[in-house]
Amino acid sequence: MPPSRPDAILDLADSSPFPALYCPCLSNNPEDSMSDDYPNKKDDLAPSNRRMMAPKKQLFLWMILIFLAPAMIMLFRSDPGGRAVLLKQSQYEDFLRAGRIRSAVVEEQSSSNIQVLVGDYWPENVPVGSDEGLQRYRTKVVYTESFDKELRQYCQVREAKQANNLMTNILLSVLPILLLIGVFYFMFSRQMRSVNRGALQFGKSRAKMLNPAQEKITMKDVAGINEAKEEMQEIVEYLKDPHRFQRLGGRIPRGVLMVGPPGTGKTLLAKAIAGEADVPFFSISGSDFVEMFVGVGASRVRDMFEDGKKHAPCLIFIDEIDAVGRSRFSGIGGGHDEREQTLNALLVEMDGFEPNSGVIVLAATNRPDVLDPALLRPGRFDRQIAIDLPDLRGRFEILNIHAQKVKMDPDADLRVIARGTPGFSGADLANLLNEAALLATRTNKEMVGMIELEESRDKVRWGKERRSRKIDEKERRLTAYHEAGHALVSMLCEHCEPLHKVTIVPRGVAYLGATMQLPEEDRYTAAQSELLDMITMTMGGRVAEILVFKELTSGGAMDIRQATDIAKKMVCQWGMSEKMGPLNYIGREEHIFIGRDLTRSEDYSPETAREIDLEIRRIVETCEQRAMQLLSDNRQKLILLAETLLTRESLTGSEVYELLGMTMPPPQKPVDDLSQELGLDDVAPATRAPTSDAE
């Protein structure tokens, strides 16, 4: 029975001990998929857009050069005398003997007997001797002694041009080639300069300065983390009026580290600070520092702080700082790699010999346990702000902010959704409203109502229904009794969470059925009796299979895993075993660092380990026997519920209580009383329940 969050049950010490439960059937490999920022408008003059325009300009230049080169060749190869008719030697000799060649200019060629003759002639349709109709000609002939005699005899005007045209011929032949070489050299040198600029810019900072023209996010757009907002507001006020804090000798923190699970609003809070503070704001990701070349990361860190000092006072935001700030003691052999150099440069720039006044560093991470201790000390990151999952009031405020962009039905009550979404992050709630809007659009509705909100909540928490999956009747019947066992045991146990829905419609990737429970309020601790009831309910599906079908299936694999994990924490971590006593047998709950924690050893003997295993087994088997007794005493109710599920496929909690003739326990806190708890007495109705006019 994996919960809505993968660690909601398996890690009860770190979160609420009463999360919403999800009981899958016939699944050995479940995978939960969960789907944070407002879209930013791109500036037309942004560097990225300029980079997109550069290839177009280069292509246009290349096209001009391609068309220009042949034109230049034709220009240099054209006849210097104008439009001349090209005559063959035989044709020219016929015109010569007929007396139609008026003039001939011989261009001597020193390297061969081939001569080029130019001049005027009378075409065949023009009378010889006419002043009109003369045309220019050009011809190449083999200049022999006999041809020379004929030329002297028949040509009226003959000129043996002795001009030295060697240079002209060379230029006419070589100049186009030189032109093409020059064009290619120009393009090649330009490309090389671009590459050199890239190489020179390789160690430059990739931090982007926030564009004031972009959509501003203010503190009003951040909800559910009021304490974090108050601490960050001090930085904004300091940047606006530094003398107010310096009057009493106070010093603003040089660095602020935001720590919290994914999707809780760390990056959004940094954007809100950038929108509130009227100072330059640089943003960069931790992965932008690390490259394959040695020294690049450290160079980028130094360049980033140099830019910050030029624009001081300013803010520098490093997102996912764990990519560059990991502990230097985690490597095998203590290697000095590129990441360590980058970290050393970051440590020196934040608090070194040179003053770094006016530059405040903001960072965000969801892995503070892997950060280097030198990075977390006062003087670098003076303040650590924990941003946890929102509580009931925080979830309601987040839903209100996102609902302002959605056309909401006036009857839709966000208080109910806020109460039914414990463990949801801000990103989950935003995704919930978005899924509800998409569902309403798909069904051609004008507004988003409660039906869409509840369906999207179930979809985000447990996955989308997959009614297209074909399941044979035997497996479908097995699933019905499995989920009926979970549901009935949860109703018979006093300390189980209220039943929300039971279904045999497949959801998500590998779930053939589910028993859903929703807590009525946020819980942070769990009693021993409540945990035992939880294990009993978890084993209810497996026990129902044994009771009805007299055999076991693989559908209870996740149930066994979940029950074992809870029992193990009861014995080894929470001291809920009389035999093992109030001792901690788990140790550190941290991720293993290669090289540092590979040799981690247990702090107890093998005999103690055996006793721990026996105690865990005893707790699970006792709860299983209790579930067997409850289902045996209520066998007819189990059969009735399972057969009804085979017919209707899905039943709500109230429908299950009505079907079995059982009294549904009253809610611990009615919905109408939530307004006082949420402090909504002074809130406008439009904020409490957004209408269709909200944009």
Side-chain angles (χ1 to χ4, degrees):
M1 295 187 307
S4 59
R5 297 177 59 216
D7 58 344
I9 291 259
L10 308 183
D11 196 6
L12 294 175
D14 301 330
S15 61
S16 173
F18 288 94
L21 299 183
Y22 181 34
C23 307
C25 173
L26 304 178
S27 173
N28 293 328
N29 187 25
E31 297 180 0
D32 294 336
S33 60
M34 302 183 66
S35 39
D36 134 27
D37 292 339
Y38 299 106
N40 294 327
K41 297 183 292 183
K42 298 295 184 181
D43 187 13
D44 293 336
L45 300 179
S48 59
N49 293 336
R50 291 198 295 267
R51 288 193 297 269
M52 293 176 62
M53 295 170 60
K56 296 182 180 180
K57 294 182 179 179
Q58 294 182 1
L59 180 62
F60 182 71
L61 181 60
W62 274 105
M63 292 178 63
I64 293 178
L65 293 176
I66 290 174
F67 286 104
L68 183 62
M72 296 296 295
I73 294 175
M74 293 178 63
L75 177 64
F76 284 108
R77 287 295 185 180
S78 62
D79 182 28
R83 297 181 179 179
V85 179
L86 184 63
L87 300 178
K88 297 180 179 180
Q89 184 173 356
S90 60
Q91 188 179 8
Y92 181 79
E93 290 177 352
D94 293 339
F95 282 135
L96 181 63
R97 296 185 183 102
R100 291 185 172 276
I101 303 299
R102 181 177 178 271
S103 61
V105 179
V106 181
E107 296 181 355
E108 296 182 359
Q109 304 288 334
S110 59
S111 59
S112 81
N113 293 327
I114 299 177
Q115 303 290 332
V116 178
L117 303 181
V118 296
D120 302 326
Y121 82 105
W122 290 284
E124 294 180 352
N125 57 350
V126 178
V128 178
S130 176
D131 295 335
E132 299 179 355
L134 284 173
Q135 291 188 3
R136 297 285 296 174
Y137 73 87
R138 184 180 182 87
T139 183
K140 289 184 178 180
V141 298
V142 180
Y143 205 91
T144 59
E145 294 183 358
S146 59
F147 180 81
D148 183 70
K149 293 179 179 180
E150 292 184 355
L151 188 63
R152 294 176 182 273
Q153 181 181 355
Y154 297 107
C155 185
Q156 298 182 7
V157 180
R158 176 184 174 277
E159 179 181 359
K161 189 176 181 181
Q162 300 294 330
N164 188 11
N165 58 354
L166 179 61
M167 294 300 298
T168 303
N169 295 332
I170 294 176
L171 289 176
L172 292 176
S173 302
V174 178
L175 190 59
I177 299 175
L178 294 177
L179 178 63
L180 291 177
I181 293 175
V183 170
F184 284 110
Y185 175 78
F186 171 76
M187 298 300 300
F188 180 76
S189 61
R190 184 176 179 183
Q191 294 291 334
M192 290 300 298
R193 286 197 299 270
S194 171
V195 173
N196 291 332
R197 285 198 302 268
L200 295 176
Q201 296 292 329
F202 203 70
K204 297 295 183 180
S205 172
R206 293 188 177 182
K208 301 177 181 178
M209 181 180 292
L210 185 67
N211 190 352
Q214 293 181 348
E215 180 182 358
K216 276 191 177 183
I217 298 176
T218 62
M219 288 295 183
K220 297 180 180 180
D221 300 318
V222 182
I225 48 175
N226 296 329
E227 293 80 5
K229 289 172 59 177
E230 292 176 359
E231 293 192 73
M232 300 300 287
Q233 191 67 32
E234 292 183 2
I235 298 177
V236 177
E237 294 177 358
Y238 172 82
L239 294 173
K240 293 181 178 180
D241 188 12
H243 300 288
R244 177 187 172 189
F245 294 85
Q246 297 173 356
R247 179 174 57 88
L248 300 178
R251 180 182 60 84
I252 200 67
R254 296 184 179 180
V256 178
L257 180 63
M258 294 178 288
V259 179
T264 52
K266 299 183 295 295
T267 305
L268 182 63
L269 183 58
K271 292 181 179 179
I273 296 175
E276 292 282 347
D278 295 329
V279 296
F281 187 89
F282 297 89
S283 64
I284 191 173
S285 175
S287 60
D288 292 336
F289 293 108
V290 182
E291 292 284 353
M292 63 180 293
F293 301 106
V294 178
V296 174
S299 177
R300 290 177 178 177
V301 170
R302 291 189 293 268
D303 186 71
M304 180 184 65
F305 278 89
E306 288 179 2
D307 293 340
K309 293 175 183 178
K310 295 177 182 178
H311 297 84
C314 71
L315 292 170
I316 296 178
F317 175 63
I318 306 176
D319 199 7
E320 305 296 342
I321 194 174
D322 53 275
V324 68
R326 287 179 174 263
S327 177
R328 291 168 291 179
F329 307 101
S330 61
I332 299 179
H336 188 71
D337 57 1
E338 166 65 11
R339 188 172 57 199
E340 291 188 6
Q341 294 186 23
T342 306
L343 176 59
N344 292 333
L346 182 61
L347 296 176
V348 173
E349 292 294 338
M350 291 188 67
D351 187 19
F353 280 99
E354 296 184 3
N356 194 24
S357 59
V359 180
I360 300 176
V361 181
L362 307 178
T365 181
N366 52 21
R367 293 290 309 279
D369 55 311
V370 305
L371 296 180
D372 195 275
L375 190 64
L376 300 177
R377 72 163 177 83
R380 293 192 175 108
F381 283 111
D382 305 85
R383 181 177 296 179
Q384 295 187 25
I385 301 177
I387 303 178
D388 204 354
L389 297 173
D391 55 4
L392 176 61
R393 181 182 178 87
R395 294 194 298 270
F396 178 77
E397 294 175 351
I398 294 173
L399 288 172
N400 265 319
I401 290 177
H402 292 289
Q404 294 176 4
K405 302 181 181 180
V406 181
K407 291 185 177 180
M408 301 293 299
D409 191 339
D411 297 332
D413 197 347
L414 296 180
R415 299 173 299 175
V416 180
I417 304 300
R419 190 183 69 172
T421 52
F424 274 48
S425 64
D428 295 332
L429 296 173
N431 187 36
L432 187 151
L433 284 175
N434 183 62
E435 290 289 346
L438 296 178
L439 180 59
T441 304
R442 192 160 51 247
T443 55
N444 297 322
K445 291 187 176 181
E446 298 295 332
M447 295 179 293
V448 178
M450 286 298 297
I451 299 177
E452 289 78 23
L453 289 173
E454 292 181 352
E455 175 61 28
S456 62
R457 176 194 60 192
D458 296 343
K459 179 181 179 181
V460 173
R461 185 182 288 276
W462 295 293
K464 182 178 175 56
E465 291 185 350
R466 303 182 64 183
R467 295 184 177 273
S468 60
R469 176 177 291 182
K470 301 298 182 181
I471 304 175
D472 59 13
E473 188 62 27
K474 180 181 178 181
E475 196 169 12
R476 189 167 175 268
R477 186 175 183 84
L478 181 67
T479 303
Y481 276 92
H482 184 102
E483 301 303 333
H486 284 307
L488 185 57
V489 173
S490 68
M491 297 166 61
L492 297 174
C493 291
E494 181 181 359
H495 303 289
C496 284
E497 293 294 343
L499 181 65
H500 171 65
K501 182 187 291 185
V502 56
T503 179
I504 59 173
V505 178
R507 279 186 176 269
V509 180
Y511 305 140
L512 301 183
T515 299
M516 308 174 189
Q517 295 176 288
L518 284 178
E520 294 185 346
E521 58 184 358
D522 297 329
R523 302 287 299 275
Y524 303 98
T525 58
Q528 184 177 5
S529 58
E530 296 167 341
L531 294 172
L532 292 175
D533 284 355
M534 191 181 300
I535 298 176
T536 303
M537 189 276 299
T538 304
M539 302 300 294
R542 170 184 168 92
V543 171
E545 295 178 7
I546 299 174
L547 188 62
V548 177
F549 300 99
K550 309 299 181 181
E551 66 176 348
L552 295 173
T553 66
S554 61
M558 293 302 301
D559 299 337
I560 297 175
R561 176 182 176 183
Q562 189 170 355
T564 304
D565 289 337
I566 297 175
K568 183 177 180 180
K569 289 183 180 293
M570 292 176 62
V571 175
C572 300
Q573 189 172 355
W574 297 330
M576 295 182 180
S577 173
E578 296 181 359
K579 184 177 182 180
M580 304 308 302
L583 298 178
N584 181 22
Y585 297 98
I586 292 182
R588 294 177 299 175
E589 289 284 311
E590 299 178 358
H591 297 274
I592 296 178
F593 280 7
I594 297 179
R596 189 178 72 181
D597 297 327
L598 281 179
T599 59
R600 179 186 299 175
S601 59
E602 302 292 345
D603 297 331
Y604 46 83
S605 63
E607 292 79 9
T608 304
R610 175 176 175 81
E611 293 180 359
I612 291 174
D613 294 338
L614 294 176
E615 188 67 10
I616 295 174
R617 180 176 179 178
R618 184 191 65 81
I619 294 175
V620 175
E621 289 180 349
T622 301
C623 294
E624 184 183 21
Q625 294 174 4
R626 183 188 174 195
M628 178 67 74
Q629 185 65 39
L630 291 174
L631 292 181
S632 299
D633 298 340
N634 298 271
R635 184 183 180 94
Q636 297 301 323
K637 293 182 179 180
L638 174 65
I639 297 175
L640 176 60
L641 179 56
E643 296 297 329
T644 306
L645 282 175
L646 289 172
T647 304
R648 300 179 57 181
E649 292 188 336
S650 297
L651 293 172
T652 62
S654 58
E655 292 175 344
V656 174
Y657 276 97
E658 183 179 357
L659 174 67
L660 301 181
M662 301 174 64
T663 303
M664 189 173 183
Q668 300 179 3
K669 188 172 300 181
V671 178
D672 296 336
D673 297 340
L674 289 178
S675 297
Q676 184 177 2
E677 179 181 349
L678 295 174
L680 302 179
D681 296 335
D682 56 346
V683 179
T687 305
R688 190 182 301 129
T691 62
S692 59
D693 296 331
E695 297 181 356

